[in-house]
Amino acid sequence: MKTVTKTALANIRLNRSKNILIGIAISLTTLLLFLIPSIGFGMMDIQYEAINRIYPTYHGMYQKVPTETVEKNKSSERN
């Protein structure tokens, strides 16, 4: 083995607890970086679905329109 490899393996054996703590810290940081945005975007999707149930995506809403006008608009619809 080369000198650098021997030194690196000796440091790994000597600082085992520090290496384990660094590994745990890196894995927790990675987990948080991916988990927090995923939860946030999931909550936004749920809110959009709830809003779309209450207020459907109509292009326009008419109220108190006479029946004659409704029938005239139905007959002139472009499909």
Side-chain angles (χ1 to χ4, degrees):
M1 284 189 184
K2 295 184 180 179
T3 307
V4 175
T5 307
K6 285 182 182 179
T7 306
L9 289 175
N11 283 334
I12 287 174
R13 286 189 201 114
L14 184 64
N15 299 323
R16 185 174 298 269
S17 61
K18 185 190 287 187
N19 291 334
I20 290 172
L21 285 175
I22 289 172
I24 291 171
I26 290 171
S27 60
L28 284 175
T29 303
T30 305
L31 179 73
L32 286 174
L33 284 175
F34 287 106
L35 193 65
I36 299 298
S38 297
I39 291 172
F41 287 128
M43 289 175 62
M44 286 175 44
D45 289 341
I46 290 171
Q47 288 177 352
Y48 285 138
E49 288 176 16
I51 289 171
N52 285 335
R53 282 190 196 140
I54 296 171
Y55 304 108
T57 55
Y58 295 129
H59 291 289
M61 186 180 293
Y62 300 102
Q63 293 180 350
K64 299 180 183 177
V65 178
T67 308
E68 300 86 25
T69 308
V70 172
E71 294 303 323
K72 189 164 91 172
N73 286 340
K74 280 184 181 177
S75 63
S76 67
E77 270 188 42
R78 296 179 188 168
N79 293 333

